[in-house]
Amino acid sequence: MPMSLELASIHIHPVKSLGGFAVEEAQLTDRGLEHDRRWMLVDEQGSFMTQRELASMACLHCSPLRNGFRVTDVRDGSTLDLPWALVEGERHKVSVWSDSLSALHGDAAWDSWFSAHLERPVRLVYMPDSSERRSDEGNAKGLTSLSDAFPYLITSQASLDDLNARLPSPIGMERFRPNLVVAGGTPFQEDVWTEITIGKVRFQLARPCARCVVITTDQLSGERSKEPLRTLATYRSAGNKVMFGMNAVGDADGCVRVGDLVHA
């Protein structure tokens, strides 16, 4: 008989490349989970900033509030409270990889807070509903927010358990920044999934997610090491890329809850 699968955890990252938080349930939108990656830090040219270039972004963690969210610098405990969305603001052209889009610029004081904590000039921008961005090429197509390529990243706890059994010190799933984590089954079962349902919601899996230096970044200290990229490369390489997790698109509405049954 097939092994039982269920949704183990749901993760939302309000600001691209900052620390996210887990929730018990989440609403779906036409471009991913509600509130996921709708904010982004950009440089003076409007280009997106991530932990790839600035490891200290890992030290800025988001947590939910009633009408928005809080960003905390875990190094000194200082905080900044932000709304879930902006409805007005000066429009700026910004870029994510090769995509250009219009974003709203908020309070200059927010820029100052982030610039001080990251020790370089940055601006905080928000992606309104009026800005649309297509998901990357692949078998599954749709809209996405400010994610790298697709609105959802799906991983399996069994895959992380397999990796941790090979590492000198175990790591947490936060290194991989998924939206949806599946419990049960076998390591890297997600590699062969083309479509799954979680509860009543359908997801199409597009392609494996190629990993970068971000997964070597400690999400509390911002320090980098060689792991787990070095170990993953020994058995999860495809060409010159290292794979962990699957990119996906999903239904434009609905709700997912921790404990939902997963059917692959």
Side-chain angles (χ1 to χ4, degrees):
M1 295 181 63
M3 295 184 183
S4 176
L5 305 175
E6 67 176 36
L7 186 59
S9 60
I10 305 167
H11 304 268
I12 293 174
H13 304 81
V15 183
K16 182 178 180 64
S17 219
L18 299 194
F21 54 85
V23 295
E24 289 298 306
E25 64 177 59
Q27 296 293 320
L28 277 67
T29 74
D30 63 349
R31 63 195 72 189
L33 295 180
E34 185 178 29
H35 306 313
D36 189 62
R37 295 172 170 93
R38 297 299 294 265
W39 294 87
M40 174 173 75
L41 293 169
V42 299
D43 63 17
E44 293 174 300
Q45 288 71 48
S47 181
F48 73 117
M49 301 294 300
T50 74
Q51 293 181 36
R52 297 176 186 89
E53 307 84 23
L54 204 56
S56 57
M57 289 177 71
C59 300
L60 304 182
H61 291 203
C62 300
S63 57
L65 301 171
R66 174 181 286 273
N67 295 312
F69 62 100
R70 173 168 292 166
V71 182
T72 301
D73 188 329
V74 297
R75 296 169 296 185
D76 63 13
S78 58
T79 63
L80 175 68
D81 290 353
L82 296 167
W84 286 126
L86 281 183
V87 295
E88 59 182 17
E90 184 180 356
R91 286 191 174 265
H92 287 261
K93 279 291 184 183
V94 298
S95 61
V96 181
W97 299 115
S98 60
D99 294 334
S100 178
L101 65 143
S102 176
L104 298 177
H105 181 221
D107 195 321
W110 301 343
D111 300 344
S112 297
W113 190 91
F114 281 107
S115 297
H117 285 264
L118 297 175
E119 298 182 337
R120 64 176 298 168
V122 296
R123 285 180 294 165
L124 181 68
V125 298
Y126 175 79
M127 180 187 193
D129 287 343
S130 58
S131 288
E132 292 190 352
R133 180 172 169 247
R134 307 300 298 181
S135 61
D136 207 348
E137 293 183 6
N139 296 327
K141 301 184 184 300
L143 296 180
T144 189
S145 58
L146 298 170
S147 60
D148 274 356
F150 290 88
Y152 297 98
L153 177 64
I154 299 174
T155 62
S156 288
Q157 184 61 45
S159 302
L160 180 62
D161 293 344
D162 179 89
L163 170 60
N164 277 333
R166 304 166 189 257
L167 293 175
S169 299
I171 61 170
M173 188 66 86
E174 71 277 359
R175 293 281 189 105
F176 297 96
R177 306 178 60 76
N179 296 111
L180 305 169
V181 181
V182 175
T186 57
F188 303 105
Q189 59 197 333
E190 59 272 24
D191 290 351
V192 298
W193 292 345
T194 57
E195 182 175 307
I196 64 172
T197 58
I198 300 177
K200 297 180 179 180
V201 179
R202 183 174 61 95
F203 295 87
Q204 289 179 282
L205 281 74
R207 69 183 186 209
C209 182
R211 312 314 305 216
C212 66
V213 68
V214 171
I215 68 171
T216 71
T217 310
D218 186 294
Q219 296 297 297
L220 289 176
S221 68
E223 296 178 357
R224 297 208 205 272
S225 65
K226 295 185 182 298
E227 296 292 3
L229 203 54
R230 178 170 58 184
T231 295
L232 273 175
T234 65
Y235 73 113
R236 292 291 301 166
S237 290
N240 62 348
K241 297 179 180 179
V242 176
M243 305 298 186
F244 190 99
M246 289 290 288
N247 292 301
V249 300
D251 289 345
D253 57 23
C255 180
V256 290
R257 298 175 178 85
V258 170
D260 279 349
L261 293 181
V262 177
H263 298 278

